[in-house]
Amino acid sequence: MIDEKELNENENLETGEQVEEQPFARLEAELDKLKQEVLYAQAETQNVRRRLEKEKQDASAYAATGFARDILSVADNLARALASFPESLRDNEAIKPLLTGIEMTAKELENVFQRNGIAKIEAMGQRLDPNRHQAMVELENAEVDPGTVIQEMQAGYMIKDRLLRPALVGVAKAPATPTVDAEA
């Protein structure tokens, strides 16, 4: 038979082992928690590094956006100047050098735009895209589908993959159907 003394000693041994295991388990849990915090900190550092790298790339890619927006008015004015010359004056020897100079300037500006990733938005005949076009007027037109760009009032431009300026356009709408007067 087991006497009481042995029973008490066994209980004391088990409790002593539990006392020793509790601090060890607590330390292991704390170690796991700290490992997790280090992983989170490393992930956050990596995310910050990626975000800063992207911002740096965007800053260099789109640094000239403000200047490019300002220079678009120059391109618009050159296009207006070229369009204002009637065909009858284009062959006039007195005006031909002026016209040639304006054409060369417009072509060089177009080349500069191209080198800097600035592209004109093609609008005519396209479906209205609110991300690239700004509808200024709706015009009745039975020849094309409603929502199709049929007039371009001002050219739109993109710089790389971002909108620099939307194209100002006129959009087709279905012609009004004549209403039949029921009383007539």
Side-chain angles (χ1 to χ4, degrees), residues 152-163:
E152 184 177 61
M153 295 159 205
Q154 185 178 54
Y157 289 88
M158 301 284 292
I159 184 166
K160 301 195 187 327
D161 61 342
R162 288 188 184 172
L163 182 68

Side-chain angles (χ1 to χ4, degrees), residues 6-166:
E6 284 180 29
L7 200 64
N8 285 340
E9 283 178 10
N10 284 341
E11 284 178 15
N12 286 342
L13 283 177
E14 287 175 13
T15 344
E17 287 174 7
Q18 287 175 352
V19 169
E20 286 179 15
E21 285 180 18
Q22 281 180 343
F24 185 70
R26 193 180 83 247
L27 289 174
E28 275 187 333
E30 191 174 324
L31 180 62
D32 288 342
K33 179 183 169 195
L34 291 174
K35 283 180 182 178
Q36 195 66 28
E37 287 177 4
V38 167
L39 287 175
Y40 286 141
Q42 287 174 340
E44 180 65 23
T45 302
Q46 190 174 22
N47 289 341
V48 168
R49 187 179 307 122
R50 285 182 188 150
R51 191 169 41 249
L52 289 174
E53 185 63 32
K54 172 117 176 65
E55 287 175 7
K56 180 181 167 187
Q57 288 173 349
D58 286 351
S60 66
Y62 303 109
T65 300
F67 177 72
R69 248 187 220 111
D70 292 342
I71 205 76
L72 290 179
S73 63
V74 174
D76 293 338
N77 288 332
L78 285 172
R80 284 187 205 103
L82 287 171
S84 71
F85 279 98
E87 284 299 318
S88 60
L89 290 178
R90 290 185 181 266
D91 292 330
N92 185 328
E93 292 300 321
I95 295 180
K96 204 169 200 173
L98 174 64
L99 183 60
T100 303
I102 294 172
E103 287 172 342
M104 290 172 57
T105 304
K107 183 68 176 162
E108 183 59 29
L109 186 58
E110 187 179 310
N111 290 337
V112 169
F113 281 175
Q114 187 177 20
R115 283 194 305 265
N116 288 284
I118 299 170
K120 187 175 179 180
I121 296 172
E122 293 300 322
M124 292 299 293
Q126 304 290 318
R127 295 281 304 158
L128 178 69
D129 179 356
N131 296 316
R132 295 174 175 234
H133 308 131
Q134 183 175 346
M136 301 302 290
V137 65
E138 283 187 315
L139 304 167
E140 290 184 6
N141 190 323
E143 297 174 15
V144 295
D145 293 334
T148 302
V149 175
I150 57 173
Q151 182 182 12
E152 184 177 61
M153 295 159 205
Q154 185 178 54
Y157 289 88
M158 301 284 292
I159 184 166
K160 301 195 187 327
D161 61 342
R162 288 188 184 172
L163 182 68
L164 192 57
R165 179 179 78 187

